[in-house]
Amino acid sequence: MGAADLVRETREDAGLSRSALAARAGVPTSTVSRIEDGSTDPTLTMLARLIAAAGRHLSVSATAQQADSTRPAIEVLNQAYMPDPQGRKVNWARLRGFLDQIAAHRELAAEAIETPPPRSGDAAFDALLAGIAEKVADDAGIPRPRWTKTVPPSPTPWVAPGTPTRVARARANAPAQLAARNIWLAARDLWRDAA
């Protein structure tokens, strides 16, 4: 279960509205809304704070990964897309985790982007993954994977949610590989080491 679902289900189980949960946690209602809508990933501290405000305790544990799951692979990132009747939901933490692994192990870049992910059913999300693969290749100084040529740009612009200033900043700071695919997300929203 992702953070968005966890916060929503905990809040609903407690019989609280978004604004009531926000008031109890001492945060703006917009913070709860962005987390539940999946447009932002909360820190662990924020997640624990919201869960506590709903009268629950957050428990976190670490488990060993299987050997094959430690290697980054774009082919499984289609699982970061979650269809929803109210709009696109993306597990941003999963995408950032992939990019963090590549940043830590640049020697794995070619292998990580070689096999294409299955199509998700959302043309914009598929374009995002292709743009990510192209940026990973360009940053590593390796040829772009051939499969990205078969993925068309997003049919409609994918713009970061937020205030007009935040949207303009995201457009100005979108990597060229994403912008070429009609994806207007700032590099720092995905690549943690981006300036």
Side-chain angles (χ1 to χ4, degrees):
M1 177 183 296
D5 294 329
L6 180 62
V7 171
R8 183 182 314 102
E9 287 183 19
T10 304
R11 176 182 60 77
E12 290 173 351
D13 287 348
L16 298 171
S17 66
R18 287 180 175 184
S19 58
L21 178 64
R24 283 185 176 193
V27 300
T29 303
S30 61
T31 298
V32 175
S33 295
R34 285 193 313 272
I35 291 168
E36 287 191 7
D37 294 342
S39 62
T40 190
D41 288 321
T43 63
L44 187 56
T45 303
M46 177 58 72
L47 187 59
R49 183 177 182 177
L50 292 172
I51 299 302
R56 301 287 172 95
H57 174 76
L58 179 66
S59 176
V60 179
S61 64
T63 58
Q65 294 182 334
Q66 294 180 2
D68 62 349
S69 66
T70 60
R71 295 182 89 63
I74 201 162
E75 66 188 281
V76 298
L77 285 184
N78 67 318
Q79 297 169 8
Y81 170 75
M82 299 161 273
D84 188 279
Q86 297 175 348
R88 176 182 304 119
K89 292 204 178 196
V90 176
N91 183 336
W92 295 106
R94 188 167 190 167
L95 293 177
R96 288 185 198 108
F98 168 80
L99 294 168
D100 287 349
Q101 283 184 297
I102 297 294
H105 303 283
R106 296 228 182 249
E107 72 279 6
L108 300 176
E111 181 183 341
I113 61 174
E114 179 181 16
T115 305
R119 298 292 170 100
S120 68
D122 182 313
F125 185 76
D126 295 338
L128 172 65
L129 292 184
I132 286 173
E134 290 173 343
K135 183 167 181 352
V136 166
D138 293 350
D139 290 350
I142 59 177
R144 291 179 174 184
R146 287 192 312 248
W147 64 265
T148 62
K149 294 178 185 174
T150 66
V151 181
S154 174
T156 58
W158 184 347
V159 182
T163 65
T165 301
R166 183 170 190 260
V167 169
R169 194 175 308 128
R171 279 186 168 272
N173 293 301
Q177 300 86 346
L178 299 186
R181 295 181 169 279
N182 211 11
I183 307 290
W184 302 98
L185 303 174
R188 66 176 158 36
D189 290 339
L190 289 167
W191 286 269
R192 295 180 213 263
D193 61 343

